[in-house]
Amino acid sequence: MICIACIFTNIITAQIYIAKTCEISFSAPTPIEDIAGVNKVAKPLLNIATGDLQMKIPMTSFIFEKPLMQEHFNENYVESEKFPYAIFKGKLNEKIDFSKDGEYKTTATGKLTIHGVEKERTIEGTVMVKGGEIIMNSSFKVTFAEHNIVIPALYSGVIPPEAVIKYSAQLEQFKKELKN
């Protein structure tokens, strides 16, 4: 029975890939200065057998050039204490042969939750398979209003109504360590 459990565990973990590195950037350029933050903490998971993709992004892990911008982002806009994570749960729409090196255009459809508001999204991107690793890239826009993120009236003509999100992750096969 233990042997069957080990084989089953190995089959499951062989299909799961986790980020070795991941960078998610947020950018909302204004005439005065660019509002931009970078998060290198998120660890997306991809099940290559099913195409399921999941990501939980700690909002306080976005780092900004100016500490005051970071403070405003967390306290006034995304309200990180109330809504500590952005979450994406979805599925790759195209079948990809992960056993062959190559670059594939793909889309992922799922639910994106930001600021406690869940929205159905289809996000375009690329998946590159190279030497047993998977590299995923995407760029898409998020409109603040659709996630109930309020821009103060004083800044409504300065801060754009949406931000560009860029995502890049290098994933490697998840290996579960067996404890003796």
Side-chain angles (χ1 to χ4, degrees), residues 18-180:
I18 188 168
K20 179 178 176 180
T21 62
C22 180
E23 181 173 304
I24 301 168
S25 65
F26 161 98
S27 174
T30 72
I32 300 167
E33 63 186 334
D34 287 347
I35 301 167
V38 176
N39 182 317
K40 294 183 180 184
V41 175
K43 292 282 187 191
L45 293 172
L46 172 65
N47 182 326
I48 63 170
T50 63
D52 289 334
L53 177 64
Q54 294 187 25
M55 193 175 326
K56 190 174 185 180
I57 305 149
M59 298 308 283
T60 56
S61 295
F62 278 94
I63 305 300
F64 291 75
E65 187 177 309
K66 296 180 178 175
L68 187 59
M69 236 183 245
Q70 189 165 328
E71 183 181 318
H72 288 174
F73 173 81
N74 284 298
E75 291 179 7
N76 303 334
Y77 297 102
V78 297
E79 299 177 279
S80 296
E81 276 193 27
K82 273 172 64 177
F83 309 106
Y85 299 100
I87 298 169
F88 181 78
K89 289 184 182 181
K91 189 174 195 105
L92 296 178
N93 294 314
E94 295 76 20
K95 285 286 184 192
I96 295 173
D97 184 350
F98 289 99
S99 67
K100 293 182 182 176
D101 285 0
E103 187 169 333
Y104 309 91
K105 288 187 184 277
T106 189
T107 56
T109 299
K111 298 192 184 301
L112 176 65
T113 305
I114 300 173
H115 198 241
V117 178
E118 183 179 87
K119 291 289 183 182
E120 186 78 22
R121 295 289 306 250
T122 297
I123 299 169
E124 295 180 359
T126 60
V127 172
M128 182 187 302
V129 180
K130 186 176 179 184
E133 292 190 332
I134 299 170
I135 299 165
M136 301 179 81
N137 291 293
S138 181
S139 179
F140 59 98
K141 294 180 180 178
V142 170
T143 303
F144 300 131
E146 71 184 355
H147 290 281
N148 294 338
I149 298 171
V150 178
I151 305 299
L154 179 66
Y155 299 112
S156 66
V158 179
I159 296 176
E162 61 190 16
V164 175
I165 310 298
K166 291 185 180 179
Y167 163 77
S168 180
Q170 183 178 5
L171 293 90
E172 62 186 354
Q173 188 175 3
F174 174 74
K175 292 177 176 66
K176 183 176 180 166
E177 293 183 23
L178 299 174
K179 308 240 184 211
N180 291 334

